[in-house]
Amino acid sequence: MPSAKGLMPLILVVGMLLSMSGWALAEEGEAAVADALAERLAEKEAGLRDFYAAREGRPAWQEAETVGGFAAALRSLEADGLTPQDYRPDALVAGYRQVQAEEQAPAARARFDLQASRILLTALRHLQRGKVDPHSIDPDWEVPIDAPPLDLAAVSRAVDGQRFEQAFALARPSAAPYERLRAGLARYRHIERQGGWPKLPQRQQSLRPGDIHDDVPLLRERLAIIGELEVMVADLFPGVESGAADPRRYDDALVEAVKRFQRRHLLEVDGIIGPRTQEALNVPVGERIAQIRVNLERARWLLHGLPDSFVLVDIAGYRISYFRPDGRVWRSRIVVGRPYRRTPSLRSAITHLTLNPTWTVPPTILREDVLPKVRRDLGYLWREDLMVLGPSGQRLDPREVDWSRPGNIMLRQRPGPQNALGRVVLRFPNEHLVYLHDTPAQGLFASEQRAFSSGCIRVQGVLELAQHLFDDTGTPAHVASLVAKGATRNIYLERPVPVILHYWTVHPGEDGELVFRPDIYQRDAALLSALDRPLSG
C-alpha cells in the first residue's frame, strides 16, 4: 500500500484531470449554447445581433454570479429616476435558476441568454435616450435625441467583469447637470425616508420680517431640513444659548434663509411668507422627488452631443445662456410664451440677425389680439405705428377696410423704438416661426416669473449677445453702429451658431443646489405618467 507521501502526486494528477474535464465540459456546454444563439440571432433585432457580434457569439449570462450581479445593478437604476421593476430583476434570477435546476438543453439556455441581453440593452437605451418618447407626449417636439452609438465592445467587457455600473455609465449622460440631478434625487429620497418636512398651517395674513408667531419654529425646521439653515440648535430654537431671543420671532437670519428658498423656486425674493411662498414650502417631498425624476428623463433626451459653443434657452427657468467658444458663458433673463401660447422645445441654428426689424403681425396674434382692438378703436393702428397692407403688399387706407371682414390683409409695424421686436432679431429656421429678439417692454424682465410673450423669446441685453455672436463667428459687424443708422438690414453669420430651446422644471443652480421652477406649461404630469407606465411584454 502506497504511503501518504506517495499518494500526494497521484491525488494532484487526478485532481488536475478532473478539473480539466470540468473545464472541457463547461467549454463544450458554452459552445453548444453559442451554437443555439447563432441559430436564433438571425431573426432578432439589430441591437442584439450587434451585442453578440461584439462578443464573437459567446453567451453572456451562464454564470450565477453574473446574473445575480446584473439583477442587483438593475435595482440600482432607481438612482436615475427609473423604475427597477420595469426590468424584472427578480424574474431574471428566477429564470436563471429554473434553467440551471432543470439542466435544460442549450436551446433553452440560449433563449435565457437572449432575454437577459435584451433587458440589458433596454436599460442602456433608457439611460442613454430616455424611457419615454418625447413625441408621444409633445406633438410639437423638435429636438432630435443626438445620443452617440453605444460602445458594445466596452459593454461586453463590463458584463464579463461583472462591472455593471461601468456599463451603465457608458450609456447615461456624462454632463455635470445630470450627475447633480442624481445627487439631488438621492438627497430628497433621504429626506423622505426621514419623514419629510413639516407642513405650515394655512394663514390668512402673510408672515413678515420681525413678526412673532407660533409658525416660526416650524418654518425654521422646514428650511433646516433642506439646508437653507445650518442644522444647529441655535438655528432651530433661537435664544437657547442666551435665553433672550423669542424663538417665535421671524428674525434676520430666517428672513435670509427664506429669500434663498424663494430664489431657488423662482418666487419674488422679498422674505415675506405670502400665499405663493407658503404653497411652495408645503409641496410634499414626494412631489419634489417626482419632479426631479421627470427632469432626469428630460436630461437623457438632451444632454448628448452638445456642441462646444451654443445658445441654450431654458424656458421654464426664464434664462438664456450662450456658451462661447473661449469657455466663457454669457447669461441673461428672458420672457417666454404664455401658457396658452407656449414657447416650443426645438433645436436649430442661428443663421442671421435682423437689425432695426419691421414686424408683421402673425396670423394668430392678428386674429385673437389685434383685430378686436382695432374694431373697438381704429386709432390703435396709429398709436402702434401699424401699416395696413393688402395681399400683394400694397398700402391700404385703414378707413376703407371693412374691419368686420378684413379679408387677407397684413399689419406691419415699422422699425423704431416701439417696434414689438425691438432693435434686433436673432433668426433660426423652425416651423413655429419663433426667434430671439429685443423688446421695448424692458420692465417685464424685473419679474421672477416671465411668461408674457406670444411664443417668441425676448432677451434682456440682446444687443450684447448679438455682438458676441458676430465676434465669435468672425462676422465683421458692429451692432451699435448699425442700429444707429436706423435702416432694416439682415446680416448673416459667417458660421451658424446652434441654439436649443428646452423645458426644465428642475435644474441645478450654479452652486449645485437644485432650483425648482413652476410647471408653467403643465407638462410634468403627462411625462411622469408615461415614465411610470409599466413596460409591455
Side-chain angles (χ1 to χ4, degrees):
M1 181 175 178
S3 66
K5 184 176 180 181
L7 281 173
M8 289 304 298
L10 179 61
I11 292 171
L12 289 173
V13 170
V14 171
M16 289 176 62
L17 289 173
L18 288 172
S19 178
M20 291 172 63
S21 174
W23 291 338
L25 288 171
E27 290 178 359
E28 181 180 345
E30 184 171 301
V33 175
D35 290 341
L37 279 171
E39 292 177 6
R40 286 161 174 76
L41 276 172
E43 59 193 42
K44 299 300 179 184
E45 56 266 29
L48 275 175
R49 293 199 301 270
D50 292 343
F51 176 67
Y52 283 100
R55 298 181 59 77
E56 299 179 340
R58 293 182 297 109
W61 310 100
Q62 300 300 304
E63 299 293 333
E65 293 83 357
T66 304
V67 174
F70 180 40
L74 290 173
R75 296 184 187 101
S76 76
L77 290 177
E78 185 180 44
D80 289 88
L82 296 169
T83 304
Q85 289 310 309
D86 277 344
Y87 314 99
R88 301 176 175 86
D90 296 335
L92 185 72
V93 172
Y96 175 80
R97 288 172 178 167
Q98 181 179 356
V99 169
Q100 296 301 312
E102 298 177 4
E103 297 183 357
Q104 294 186 4
R109 294 165 63 190
R111 283 195 298 272
F112 173 80
D113 215 272
L114 288 167
Q115 175 192 0
S117 294
R118 185 177 285 110
I119 291 171
L120 170 68
L121 295 178
T122 298
L124 293 175
R125 184 176 70 252
H126 290 175
L127 281 173
Q128 187 182 43
R129 305 174 65 88
K131 174 187 173 182
V132 179
D133 177 2
H135 295 93
S136 67
I137 56 173
D138 184 2
D140 293 329
W141 178 265
E142 286 188 31
V143 184
I145 300 177
D146 196 18
L150 271 174
D151 185 346
L152 291 178
V155 171
S156 175
R157 290 192 295 271
V159 169
D160 287 341
Q162 299 177 25
R163 299 185 301 273
F164 299 106
E165 174 52 34
Q166 185 181 95
F168 293 163
L170 291 168
R172 65 167 63 97
S174 59
Y178 188 82
E179 287 306 314
R180 290 171 186 160
L181 283 169
R182 291 183 80 230
L185 179 61
R187 180 183 171 208
Y188 277 77
R189 279 187 165 144
H190 174 74
I191 292 173
E192 185 179 47
R193 288 192 296 270
Q194 299 301 311
W197 47 62
K199 185 176 182 179
L200 300 179
Q202 291 296 321
R203 295 175 50 84
Q204 297 298 321
Q205 295 181 335
S206 297
L207 183 64
R208 298 176 178 276
D211 285 354
I212 296 176
H213 197 277
D214 290 340
D215 291 349
V216 170
L218 205 61
L219 176 62
R220 290 183 192 281
E221 181 184 354
R222 167 69 176 86
L223 293 174
I225 286 172
I226 59 170
E228 296 295 358
L229 281 168
E230 293 183 9
V231 184
M232 297 167 50
V233 172
D235 286 324
L236 292 175
F237 304 103
V240 168
E241 294 180 359
S242 65
D246 188 337
R248 300 177 304 136
R249 180 178 294 280
Y250 186 21
D251 59 21
D252 292 344
L254 187 54
V255 170
E256 290 305 310
V258 168
K259 287 181 177 180
R260 287 192 293 272
F261 177 89
Q262 290 172 327
R263 197 171 293 114
R264 295 192 202 284
H265 292 75
L266 292 192
L267 300 164
E268 295 299 325
V269 184
D270 55 13
I272 298 172
I273 310 296
R276 296 182 71 177
T277 297
Q278 178 160 335
E279 182 182 0
L281 285 164
N282 282 343
V283 171
V285 65
E287 290 188 22
R288 292 304 186 202
I289 289 170
Q291 201 174 349
I292 299 169
R293 292 180 58 221
V294 160
N295 286 275
L296 277 164
E297 181 76 351
R298 291 184 176 123
R300 291 188 281 267
W301 294 343
L302 178 70
L303 295 180
H304 293 288
L306 295 179
D308 293 333
S309 177
F310 68 104
V311 173
L312 178 63
V313 174
D314 179 0
I315 298 169
Y318 308 105
R319 300 284 293 179
I320 185 171
S321 301
Y322 171 37
F323 298 87
R324 303 182 65 185
D326 61 6
R328 289 181 293 174
V329 183
W330 181 89
R331 292 185 172 91
S332 189
R333 292 185 162 211
I334 59 175
V335 170
V336 301
R338 301 178 181 94
Y340 59 91
R341 289 196 185 143
R342 301 176 179 183
T343 298
S345 296
L346 60 85
R347 189 167 186 164
S348 186
I350 299 169
T351 55
H352 64 286
L353 283 67
T354 304
L355 304 177
N356 298 310
T358 61
W359 179 55
T360 300
V361 181
T364 300
I365 298 177
L366 176 64
R367 182 178 63 254
E368 297 180 2
D369 297 345
V370 176
L371 283 180
K373 295 177 181 178
V374 174
R375 288 167 183 149
R376 288 194 299 268
D377 178 11
L378 197 60
Y380 175 84
L381 295 171
W382 282 274
R383 289 194 299 273
E384 296 298 323
D385 200 15
L386 289 167
M387 299 181 293
V388 183
L389 305 177
S392 58
Q394 75 276 20
R395 184 87 175 264
L396 301 178
D397 185 338
R399 292 165 294 192
E400 297 179 0
V401 174
D402 180 1
W403 289 103
S404 63
R405 295 182 178 179
N408 193 21
I409 66 163
M410 293 183 291
L411 297 182
R412 181 169 297 159
Q413 193 177 43
R414 284 180 282 246
Q418 295 305 310
N419 187 280
L421 302 180
R423 296 160 293 174
V424 63
V425 181
L426 282 59
R427 301 192 185 275
F428 42 92
N430 68 92
E431 295 180 358
H432 303 277
L433 301 179
V434 300
Y435 27 75
L436 304 166
H437 66 84
D438 189 17
T439 177
Q442 293 290 312
L444 295 179
F445 293 118
S447 299
E448 290 300 319
Q449 298 183 30
R450 300 180 290 277
F452 303 126
S453 83
S454 294
C456 286
I457 303 99
R458 308 173 192 176
V459 182
Q460 187 176 37
V462 69
L463 268 67
E464 183 180 3
L465 172 59
Q467 191 61 58
H468 286 327
L469 292 174
F470 286 150
D471 295 343
D472 294 346
T473 59
T475 305
H478 188 264
V479 173
S481 300
L482 292 170
V483 165
K485 293 179 179 179
T488 301
R489 183 176 178 182
N490 288 326
I491 299 182
Y492 282 78
L493 299 177
E494 292 293 325
R495 297 187 307 276
V497 175
V499 59
I500 298 171
L501 281 59
H502 199 51
Y503 187 83
W504 306 85
T505 54
V506 181
H507 192 267
E510 295 178 25
D511 57 0
E513 290 292 329
L514 297 187
V515 178
F516 293 90
R517 293 86 171 267
D519 182 15
I520 54 173
Y521 295 163
Q522 300 298 304
R523 289 177 172 169
D524 282 2
L527 179 49
L528 181 64
S529 177
L531 190 60
D532 284 341
R533 192 173 299 131
L535 292 178
S536 58

